[in-house]
Amino acid sequence: MLRSVSSDGTSGSSERNAPASMARGARAMKMKSQATQVKTDAPASSSAGGKKRVYLLSEGNKDMKMVLGGKGANLCEMTKLTLPVPPAFIITTETCLEYFKEGTGDLPAALDYEFALKAIEEDTGKKFGDPLNPLLVSVRSGAPASMPGMMDTVLNLGLNDEIVEGIIKTTGNERFAYDTYRRFLNMYSDVVMDLDKEPFEEVITSIKKRKGIKLDLEMEAADWKEVVGEFKKLNPNVPSDPREQLRGAILAVFRSWNNDRAIRYRSYNNIPDEWGTAVSVQAMAYGNMNDGCGTGVAFSRNPSTGENKFFGEFLPNAAGEDVVAGIRTPQPLEEMATKWPGVYEELYKYQEQLEKYYCDMQDIEFTVENGRLYMLQCRNGKRTAKAAVKIAVDMVKEGALTEAEALLRIPANQMDFFLHPTLDPTAQKTKIGVGLPASPGAATGKIVFTPDDAEVMANMGEEVILVRKETTPEDIHGMKSAEGVLTALGGMTSHAAVVARGMGKCCVSGCTAAEVNAKSKVLKLGDVELKEHDVITIDGSTGEVYLGTVERRSAAEDEDFQTVLGWADKMRKLKVLTNADTPEQAAQARKLGAQGIGLCRSEHMFFEPERISSMRAMIVAEGKEERLQHLETLSVFQREDISGILKEMDGLPVTVRLLDPPLHEFLPHSPDEMQSLADTLGKPFSVVKDRVKQLKEVNPMLGFRGCRLSVVYPEITDMQARAVARAAAANKKAGLDPKPEIMVPVVSSAKELRLIVPRIVAAVKEELDKAGVDVKIPIGTMLELPRACETADQIVGTDDVEFISFGTNDLTQTVWGFSRDDAIRFIGRYQEQGLLDFDPFARIDEEGVGGLINMAIEKARTKQPETKVGICGEHGGEPNSVQFFHSSNFDYVSCSPFRVPIARISAGQAAAVEVSAQNKLYRESITNVKRAPK
C-alpha cells in the first residue's frame, strides 16, 4: 500500500497535520508498515481438509465476492492497487455456512486464523493482547451483496483494563483510551452478548446532563473513565481475554446472517440465504485520538442527484460509528479540504482511481489517524433512481462505459420514480402505518370507505383515498375516482394492486395493522383512530401511510431517462405490450412505449355504474331470448370501448380476452342490494335471490369462469366476438389499421377450443363480410392451468389457434396451490424461515412455474414453430421475470401501463447480458487459440 502522500507528492510522515503535542502518542500508536507483505514462510491460509477458510489481503481480489464477501474482496483489491488499507484477514462465506451446518454454537472445528493474526501483528509492529503495544481490531460482516447495516460489527476489539492502562502510559492520552474502551464495551455487550443498548446510553446521557453538556466531544477523560466503570457494572461479563473476545465477535457476525433484519433485507432484495457472510478482521485505525484524527464517508459522485462531484461528510475526532449514528452533525468534505488539504488531495486521488478502476460510482469509508489516511472500504455506491440514470448516461458520454454496460447498471425496479409523483423527502411526516408498496406514487386525500362515496366526492372536486378491507371488481369506479387505494388485506398481485397499477393509481395493500370498519366508517392504525374525511397520505413506493398532508413533487420528464430507454429499445428482442382496458389506459401505455396490448380484460368494460345494470340483467335473465336482448345492449358498450382502444393503438396488436370472472362477481349480495336490483328489473325478489344462490361458488378461482362460460352460454362469446369485429371494421373504414386479437381464457383442454374457436371464427367472418372489410383477427388462448401446459401441443394444433399467452397469476396459483389474495397471511413467514426465497406472485418461480412454461413452449413450437408466445400476468413487468422470459424465447411480455418502461429496460438488460456473455466466450476462445501449442 502507498504511504500517505502530501499535496506536493512527497512522502508524508504519520504525524503530518497533527498537533505537536500529540506526536508522542502518534508515534506510539502508528502502524509499522503500510504495506501488507507476508513472509514467504508464513502459512498461506487456514486450509484444513483442503478447504481454504482464511485469506490475507494479498491473497484475494475483487472477483472473489462469493468467497470473501464484497467488503473483503474490495479490501484485497485496494491492497493490490497499493492504497493505504490497514492489514486484515478474511474468513470466508463458506466458513459461515459451515458454522450453521455444524450447529454446535461454536466456531467450525477446522477454522484456524492464528497465522493470519500473526501476519497482522508483523505488519503493524503491534501484538494482540500486549499491554504495552496492543493491536486492536475491527470485526465486520461482509456478504457477497451489499447489505448495509443489516449485520453486525464490533470495533476496538482487544481491550481490557490492563491494556487500557498500557495505552495511557504509551500515548499519554487518557481520554482516547477510555473513549475507545467504552465504545468497545458498549458494542460488545450489544452485538455479542445481546444486551439492551438503552441502559448504556442512559449512563452517558446522565453524565452529560449532570455536567450541562451535549456533545461527546465535551466529555473529558474522567467522564469516559466513569462511563467505563458504569458500563462494567451493567455488564461485568465481557471477556478480558482478547482471543476470547475475537472468538465471540466472529460468532456474532456469523449469527447476524440470520437476524431478522438481514433475513428481511435478503427477501426484499432477492439475496439467497445460501450465500452466508464473510468476516473481516482488520487492524484498527483511530479517528478519535485527537483533533488531527477523524472519520468519514465519501462518494465519487452525488448519490442523490448523480452529479459528477466528489461528495461526502466527515467528523474530526470521531469514530466511524459516530457518522452513521448521527451523534454529531458531520461536516462536508469541502471543509476537510481546508482542515487537512494533503489528506483531502490524497482521498480525492484515490476516489478518482477507484471509480475509474471499477467503472462505477464508489462509496468509500475512511479514517484519518494523526494526519494519515486509511481506506477502510470501497463498494459500488447505493444511489437513487435519478442518480443511477444520470451516472449511467454521464459515464457513457465520458467513454468509461459502453451503452450495454451502462444499461446493466440501472436498477430497473427503481425506475417507477420517473413515472409517478413522489413525496418530498424534506417534508415533515408522521408515519402511522406500513403495508406493501403495491403501486408506486404518492397520494393525499380524505378517507372514504365505499367506492360510491369515492365517486361522489371526486365528482365534487375532492381528493380522496379509498380505504377498504380488500377490493373487488365492483370497486373499480371508486378506485378510478380515488387518488389512491389503501387495503388491509391482499398482496402485491391482489386485485387492488393489479388494478391500481393498471390505472397508474397509488396503492398500499396488505396493511395488516389496519382495522377497517366500513360500517362505522372508522380506520384504526395502532393508537390512531381516523374517521371518514380525515386526511392521510400514502406512499405506494414504500408502503408507508402518513397522517395528514405531506408535500409531493412531480418526477418531470427526464432526458437522461429517455436516453436509457433508447438504449434498451435498441438492444432488446422482447416486445413490450401492456395490459389496458380503456382508451385512456391505452393512450397512456403507448406514450410510455407500449408496442400493443397483450391483455384487454373485457369484463372491466361492464363495471361502470351505467353498465353494471345491463350486465346484471343479462345474468339474471330467465331465458335465452331475454339474455340476448341484454347482450345486444352490452355489445354496444363493448364495441365502443374496443373501437376507442384500437384507435389509440392504431397499427399495433390489441388482444381482447373474452369474459373471464365468475358471473356471481357482477351480482349484489346483500338483501337490500338484491331487492334494489329486483325493483330495477321489475322481477320478484325471489328470482334475483335464487340466481345469486345458484351462481355462488365454494372455489370461484377454479369455478364457473373463462371458457366455461363460453361452453354454457355461447351467446356471450358470440356477442363479444361480434363486438371486436364491428369495432375493427369501424376503424378500418375510418382509414386506420386495426389489429385486434381474441383470446380465450382458462382453457384446460384442446377440446374446449375445438368447440369455441369455430364459433368465434364464424361470428367474426359474418360481421366483417357484412361490413365489407378485410381485417385479420387472430385467435389464441391463455395457458394458466397446468393441464393446458402439459397439452400445449394439442392446444396449438387446434385449427385457427395462432398464439398462446401465459397467465402467470393463475398459473402460479394452480402450480403452488396458493390463493393469490390469501397468501399474504403466510408468505412472509415462509420467506423468514427460508421456505421461499421470494414471493412467487411477484417474481416468476423459474423452477416450478417456469419449468411448466418451458415445457409448454417446447411442445407448442415443436407442433407449430410459428406460434407466437407471450405472457400477460403481472410478472411481465418484473425485472427478474423478464430476464427469464427473454431466455425462454418469448415473443413479448405484457404488463401494466406504468410498468412498461421498467419492462423495456429489463428486456434490454436481458439482451445486454446475453451479448456480454457471448462476447466473453468469444474473447476466451480467441485467447485459448492464441495460447494453444504450435
Side-chain angles (χ1 to χ4, degrees):
M1 288 168 275
L2 291 178
R3 290 174 58 82
S4 55
V5 179
S6 64
S7 58
D8 63 359
T10 59
S11 295
S13 72
S14 62
E15 290 84 9
R16 174 165 57 92
N17 292 329
S21 61
M22 302 299 177
R24 183 166 64 94
R27 285 192 293 271
M29 294 299 294
K30 73 176 182 179
M31 297 178 190
K32 183 178 73 175
S33 169
Q34 284 290 301
T36 305
Q37 296 174 346
V38 183
K39 290 184 177 181
T40 55
D41 59 347
S45 65
S46 171
S47 54
K51 186 183 294 183
K52 191 173 176 67
R53 295 174 176 83
V54 179
Y55 286 75
L56 299 171
L57 297 188
S58 57
E59 297 178 307
N61 60 63
K62 65 180 174 62
D63 298 322
M64 297 176 67
K65 289 183 179 180
M66 295 306 298
V67 178
L68 305 178
K71 186 190 301 289
N74 287 335
L75 285 174
C76 292
E77 200 69 16
M78 286 197 294
T79 299
K80 189 171 80 173
L81 295 172
T82 67
L83 271 61
V85 179
F89 64 84
I90 315 297
I91 301 173
T92 65
T93 56
E94 193 172 7
T95 309
C96 171
L97 300 178
E98 266 189 296
Y99 160 77
F100 287 111
K101 184 177 181 181
E102 290 183 5
T104 64
D106 205 347
L107 295 176
L111 174 61
D112 176 14
Y113 46 77
E114 278 297 324
F115 81 93
L117 192 58
K118 182 175 176 58
I120 296 179
E121 289 177 334
E122 292 180 353
D123 193 49
T124 60
K126 303 175 185 179
K127 192 169 180 63
F128 196 55
D130 183 352
L132 297 178
N133 188 23
L135 169 66
L136 304 188
V137 298
S138 64
V139 182
R140 301 174 187 262
S141 60
S146 177
M147 296 174 57
M150 296 302 109
M151 292 179 289
D152 289 331
T153 292
V154 179
L155 305 178
N156 303 302
L157 187 142
L159 285 171
N160 57 32
D161 291 352
E162 184 183 9
I163 291 173
V164 167
E165 289 301 322
I167 290 174
I168 294 171
K169 288 178 183 177
T170 55
T171 67
N173 194 337
E174 188 178 15
R175 185 188 184 282
F176 160 67
Y178 283 113
D179 179 28
T180 303
Y181 198 16
R182 64 93 184 180
R183 293 173 186 273
F184 166 68
L185 292 172
N186 192 349
M187 195 170 280
Y188 197 92
S189 298
D190 169 30
V191 170
V192 181
M193 305 182 76
D194 200 26
L195 297 185
D196 186 1
K197 291 186 288 188
E198 192 170 333
F200 293 85
E201 293 168 358
E202 287 174 356
V203 168
I204 298 175
T205 302
S206 175
I207 293 174
K208 286 180 179 177
K209 187 175 181 181
R210 187 185 74 210
K211 296 195 66 176
I213 60 177
K214 293 183 178 181
L215 301 177
D216 286 358
L217 274 178
E218 298 173 282
M219 296 279 279
E220 298 174 342
D223 301 324
W224 288 130
K225 185 175 182 179
E226 181 181 352
V227 168
V228 167
E230 293 300 317
F231 280 8
K232 291 173 73 176
K233 291 177 185 177
L234 288 171
N235 182 15
N237 299 316
V238 174
S240 59
D241 180 0
R243 277 176 166 75
E244 183 59 25
Q245 295 172 6
L246 181 56
R247 172 187 163 278
I250 294 170
L251 284 169
V253 172
F254 282 163
R255 289 195 301 268
S256 71
W257 176 250
N258 276 340
N259 67 36
D260 288 342
R261 64 183 185 273
I263 290 171
R264 290 194 186 97
Y265 188 90
R266 292 200 297 274
S267 173
Y268 298 155
N269 293 278
N270 299 316
I271 298 172
D273 292 336
E274 296 79 16
W275 280 3
T277 182
V279 181
S280 63
V281 179
Q282 187 171 35
M284 283 295 301
Y286 306 102
N288 62 322
M289 287 183 73
N290 52 58
D291 288 336
C293 303
T295 187
V297 175
F299 296 85
S300 59
R301 300 183 190 225
N302 189 307
S304 295
T305 67
E307 181 184 7
N308 188 3
K309 182 180 179 182
F310 191 33
F311 176 89
E313 298 173 322
F314 84 110
L315 274 175
N317 201 356
E321 67 266 31
D322 297 340
V323 178
V324 178
I327 294 171
R328 288 158 51 196
T329 303
Q331 301 173 20
L333 281 180
E334 289 81 0
E335 294 186 23
M336 180 177 161
T338 302
K339 184 178 180 66
W340 300 319
V343 174
Y344 178 84
E345 287 186 24
E346 189 179 2
L347 179 63
Y348 190 90
K349 179 182 71 174
Y350 293 149
Q351 64 88 19
E352 278 192 319
Q353 180 182 357
L354 289 169
E355 179 177 282
K356 185 175 181 180
Y357 187 76
Y358 283 99
C359 293
D360 204 346
M361 185 264 279
Q362 292 300 293
D363 173 358
I364 297 164
E365 294 179 16
F366 65 91
T367 288
V368 178
E369 180 185 321
N370 293 305
R372 182 181 290 276
L373 176 65
Y374 291 95
M375 303 288 283
L376 304 184
Q377 176 168 293
C378 78
R379 60 187 172 194
N380 293 339
K382 302 287 185 184
R383 64 207 74 180
T384 65
K386 182 174 179 60
V389 165
K390 178 167 177 54
I391 290 169
V393 171
D394 284 352
M395 293 188 86
V396 169
K397 291 178 181 176
E398 294 159 13
L401 296 174
T402 65
E403 290 180 359
E405 290 168 337
L407 183 63
L408 292 173
R409 302 288 172 82
I410 301 295
N413 57 358
Q414 291 183 20
M415 294 301 104
D416 281 342
F417 169 85
F418 295 98
L419 310 175
H420 300 275
T422 58
L423 295 183
D424 186 341
T426 65
Q428 294 293 317
K429 309 179 190 72
T430 302
K431 187 166 73 173
I432 56 174
V434 63
L436 297 173
S439 184
T444 297
K446 295 180 178 179
I447 295 172
V448 293
F449 292 91
T450 71
D452 291 340
D453 288 345
E455 186 175 54
V456 169
M457 289 192 67
N459 288 337
M460 294 169 59
E462 297 279 2
E463 293 185 342
V464 298
I465 303 293
L466 178 60
V467 177
R468 303 286 279 166
K469 189 172 183 180
E470 57 189 338
T471 64
T472 70
E474 289 187 56
D475 295 335
I476 194 164
H477 60 293
M479 296 178 70
K480 184 176 180 181
S481 302
E483 296 298 307
V485 180
L486 171 65
T487 69
L489 302 178
M492 292 289 287
T493 53
S494 64
H495 176 269
V498 171
V499 174
R501 284 197 290 270
M503 292 179 170
K505 297 282 185 181
C506 170
C507 177
V508 173
S509 64
C511 184
T512 53
E515 297 178 31
V516 180
N517 190 327
K519 200 167 189 177
S520 60
K521 297 188 175 180
V522 171
L523 166 65
K524 287 185 178 179
L525 279 162
D527 296 333
V528 178
E529 181 173 303
L530 300 166
K531 298 179 181 178
E532 186 178 39
H533 299 168
D534 285 342
V535 176
I536 61 172
T537 297
I538 60 175
D539 188 341
S541 301
T542 65
E544 293 170 324
V545 183
Y546 299 98
L547 186 63
T549 300
V550 179
E551 289 299 317
R552 288 177 289 166
R553 63 183 187 186
S554 62
E557 187 79 9
D558 188 281
E559 185 178 338
D560 289 335
F561 183 53
Q562 295 304 316
T563 297
V564 168
L565 287 170
W567 296 342
D569 291 341
K570 283 192 294 185
M571 296 177 202
R572 64 185 168 93
K573 298 177 182 177
L574 280 171
K575 289 187 176 180
V576 177
L577 281 64
T578 191
N579 303 339
D581 313 318
T582 67
E584 294 79 15
Q585 290 178 10
Q588 181 67 65
R590 188 161 192 169
K591 183 180 177 182
L592 294 171
Q595 295 169 284
I597 293 176
L599 175 63
C600 177
R601 293 156 288 209
S602 60
E603 64 271 11
H604 284 189
M605 300 174 187
F606 303 131
F607 281 108
E608 295 289 344
E610 68 272 18
R611 301 181 178 190
I612 192 72
S613 296
S614 297
M615 187 67 178
R616 287 171 171 172
M618 184 274 292
I619 294 170
V620 300
E622 297 176 78
K624 184 175 180 179
E625 290 304 316
E626 182 184 352
R627 187 157 45 251
L628 286 171
Q629 291 176 13
H630 295 301
L631 282 171
E632 191 58 38
T633 302
L634 292 173
S635 177
V636 175
F637 298 144
Q638 192 109 84
R639 188 196 71 227
E640 288 176 352
D641 282 359
I642 294 172
S643 180
I645 292 169
L646 288 171
K647 183 178 179 180
E648 294 294 345
M649 284 288 170
D650 186 40
L652 297 176
V654 173
T655 305
V656 179
R657 182 183 70 185
L658 299 179
L659 196 64
D660 181 51
L663 295 179
H664 73 83
E665 287 195 5
F666 294 92
L667 295 177
H669 299 287
S670 72
D672 288 346
E673 290 174 322
M674 285 190 280
Q675 183 64 62
S676 176
L677 177 60
D679 293 342
T680 300
L681 299 179
K683 291 180 179 290
F685 174 78
S686 60
V687 171
V688 175
K689 182 181 179 182
D690 289 348
R691 187 59 168 154
V692 170
K693 184 178 180 180
Q694 180 187 12
L695 291 173
K696 184 178 180 181
E697 296 180 281
V698 175
N699 190 350
M701 182 262 174
L702 297 176
F704 186 30
R705 55 173 289 220
C707 72
R708 298 153 200 170
L709 297 172
S710 299
V711 171
V712 177
Y713 298 116
E715 57 268 28
I716 295 178
T717 298
D718 182 79
M719 177 277 287
Q720 291 197 286
R722 292 179 185 277
V724 172
R726 289 170 185 169
N731 276 261
K732 186 75 171 180
K733 287 182 175 181
L736 302 177
D737 183 20
K739 294 184 179 295
E741 301 178 348
I742 295 174
M743 184 161 66
V744 183
V746 201
V747 166
S748 55
S749 165
K751 291 180 180 180
E752 293 166 323
L753 289 174
R754 292 175 197 143
L755 176 68
I756 297 166
V757 171
R759 293 173 177 171
I760 296 173
V761 170
V764 166
K765 184 177 186 305
E766 183 178 330
E767 292 298 328
L768 293 179
D769 287 347
K770 191 187 301 182
V773 297
D774 182 18
V775 179
K776 179 173 173 54
I777 302 181
I779 300 169
T781 187
M782 291 181 76
L783 299 191
E784 44 198 329
L785 298 173
R787 193 183 190 282
C789 294
E790 288 279 359
T791 59
D793 51 343
Q794 299 174 33
I795 284 173
V796 301
T798 304
D799 289 345
D800 296 310
V801 171
E802 298 185 38
F803 68 89
I804 54 176
S805 180
F806 290 91
T808 53
N809 297 340
D810 280 352
L811 188 56
T812 299
Q813 292 194 93
T814 51
V815 169
W816 279 91
F818 290 171
S819 163
R820 183 177 67 177
D821 290 332
D822 297 321
I824 185 178
R825 299 174 184 172
F826 59 83
I827 275 185
R829 293 286 291 169
Y830 266 55
Q831 290 176 273
E832 288 173 11
Q833 296 180 60
L835 303 178
L836 283 173
D837 291 330
F838 53 84
D839 180 351
F841 292 107
R843 174 182 170 185
I844 198 74
D845 159 33
E846 295 185 25
E847 183 180 27
V849 177
L852 266 181
I853 287 173
N854 282 329
M855 178 195 67
I857 292 174
E858 183 179 358
K859 287 190 171 190
R861 284 185 167 151
T862 299
K863 180 72 174 180
Q864 296 286 356
E866 300 305 314
T867 300
K868 184 170 72 172
V869 177
I871 176 265
C872 59
E874 279 301 296
H875 299 94
E878 194 279 319
N880 291 289
S881 304
V882 172
Q883 175 86 42
F884 169 77
F885 300 133
H886 170 91
S887 65
S888 296
N889 294 313
F890 276 61
D891 293 296
Y892 69 87
V893 296
S894 187
C895 57
S896 302
F898 284 91
R899 290 183 72 85
V900 166
I902 294 172
R904 289 165 64 191
I905 290 173
S906 301
Q909 289 176 329
V913 167
E914 188 173 78
V915 169
S916 297
Q918 290 172 351
N919 289 342
K920 182 180 178 184
L921 286 173
Y922 175 75
R923 287 194 300 268
E924 289 176 351
S925 67
I926 293 297
T927 301
N928 290 337
V929 168
K930 288 179 179 178
R931 289 177 178 172
K934 295 180 181 179

